[in-house]
Amino acid sequence: MRTKSTPARIQRILNFSSQENKNVIENYSELLCATKGVSQSKAIEDMLLSQVYPKNSTARGIVKMLLFEKQDENAVYFRDGGLQRAVLSSWNRLASKVDNEQAEEDAIKLFQFQQQDLFTHKSWEDKFDENILYHFSNQVKYLGETLEHAAKIAPEKPLIPGSEIMMPVDYDRDIYELNRISKELLNEKIVYQDSLNFIFIVLREHWSEVCHNTYTYRLLVDITQVQTWADTREARLKFIDVLNNISINWKEFD
């Protein structure tokens, strides 16, 4: 039986798994009503949104942008979609260099999310606007230059993270391939799946050396624009979880 204080619409939507849970939610929302001076439906709405939205206002705006638009019933593979825009906004935030080093180190979680999305797709080739490819090519070149500098100052070659056989990273190979890909983007006007895969491998292996460089995030902005995204419900939920996690150390602005 519906209690007098429970909003009718909430009662229709919510099917409580137990009387105990029903009483807890109703009584807690009534406490919020009494202390905040809001209606019970508003109190329940705030409770739900607090589980959805990150604490940081910029990250909150990204989630709003992602969830506001309607999604198709089935998995959608496309560019310029909601998930792509949300990831793009996240990398743009990090490229702005307004946050601390811990926030940049935390960004590995978003990187891993994007890499998993890329690696689950079949190989593809496509042509893009030359301005995007020109900028993309430059960021790949800058990544190679960052590794050249890192190789000179590294006391010893770091080990590949997560490798079963602890092998040192190969700076010479990585720099050579990055330079080749940079020229490929300009000369062939095409983005190859294998090239994207290689860039992700390099970023993963050298993350501690490149995560504080703005060019790293500008490169990921470019990749986000050319990558084909699986904009599924599962992917959106995973992204929201990742964004909640990594935005904890984002600065808040007035």
Side-chain angles (χ1 to χ4, degrees):
M1 179 178 179
R2 181 171 63 85
T3 63
K4 184 177 180 180
S5 60
T6 306
R9 181 162 176 77
I10 291 295
Q11 182 66 21
R12 289 198 301 269
I13 294 173
L14 294 178
N15 183 18
F16 295 99
S17 60
S18 69
Q19 185 63 39
E20 177 185 350
N21 289 343
K22 181 175 181 292
N23 289 348
V24 167
I25 291 174
E26 288 179 354
N27 291 335
Y28 184 70
S29 63
E30 287 176 355
L31 290 176
L32 292 177
C33 292
T35 57
K36 294 188 175 183
V38 297
S39 66
Q40 193 170 22
S41 61
K42 180 64 167 65
I44 294 174
E45 177 184 322
D46 290 344
M47 289 164 55
L48 292 172
L49 289 178
S50 68
Q51 300 302 308
V52 176
Y53 286 151
K55 295 185 182 302
N56 177 268
S57 60
T58 301
R60 219 164 31 241
I62 293 172
V63 172
K64 286 181 182 180
M65 175 183 66
L66 176 65
L67 295 181
F68 185 73
E69 66 175 30
K70 182 178 176 63
Q71 190 191 9
D72 293 338
E73 287 294 321
N74 301 314
V76 182
Y77 295 86
F78 66 121
R79 298 185 186 90
D80 302 321
L83 181 60
Q84 182 194 45
R85 288 200 303 271
V87 175
L88 192 66
S89 297
S90 302
W91 288 133
N92 275 322
R93 166 70 187 232
L94 288 155
S96 68
K97 296 289 289 181
V98 298
D99 296 306
N100 57 37
E101 289 191 353
Q102 183 58 51
E104 294 168 343
E105 291 171 4
D106 291 343
I108 185 65
K109 299 179 181 68
L110 179 59
F111 168 80
Q112 291 168 337
F113 166 80
Q114 184 164 354
Q115 183 182 33
Q116 182 180 21
D117 181 273
L118 179 69
F119 281 10
T120 55
H121 290 173
K122 64 181 181 180
S123 298
W124 56 274
E125 300 173 7
D126 209 343
K127 295 183 181 294
F128 298 90
D129 183 270
E130 289 192 17
N131 290 329
I132 293 177
L133 294 182
Y134 178 78
H135 189 269
F136 190 5
S137 173
N138 279 337
Q139 306 319 305
V140 174
K141 182 180 70 173
Y142 294 148
L143 176 60
E145 292 174 355
T146 301
L147 295 187
E148 286 181 6
H149 176 71
K152 291 176 182 177
I153 64 174
E156 59 183 32
K157 290 186 176 181
L159 300 177
I160 297 175
S163 58
E164 295 182 3
I165 302 175
M166 300 305 288
M167 298 178 60
V169 297
D170 190 337
Y171 282 104
D172 292 337
R173 178 209 63 181
D174 295 344
I175 293 167
Y176 174 84
E177 274 298 303
L178 289 172
N179 287 332
R180 184 194 65 76
I181 293 171
S182 177
K183 294 174 182 177
E184 173 185 271
L185 289 167
L186 287 180
N187 297 334
E188 299 189 33
K189 306 289 190 299
I190 200 166
V191 178
Y192 290 103
Q193 178 81 6
D194 288 345
S195 296
L196 285 183
N197 289 346
F198 183 80
I199 293 171
F200 268 98
I201 291 171
V202 171
L203 288 171
R204 183 188 65 202
E205 293 181 354
H206 295 276
W207 188 256
S208 63
E209 298 166 296
V210 303
C211 68
H212 304 311
N213 192 327
T214 185
Y215 294 116
T216 298
Y217 302 106
R218 294 177 185 175
L219 171 60
L220 286 161
V221 165
D222 291 335
I223 292 175
T224 302
Q225 292 184 89
V226 303
Q227 183 172 337
T228 304
W229 290 86
D231 199 343
T232 63
R233 290 184 176 90
E234 292 78 10
R236 289 186 173 207
L237 282 174
K238 177 63 176 175
F239 169 77
I240 292 170
D241 181 61
V242 169
L243 185 62
N244 267 284
N245 194 296
I246 71 170
S247 63
I248 291 174
N249 289 304
W250 286 10
K251 291 180 180 178
E252 196 65 74
F253 301 101
D254 297 329

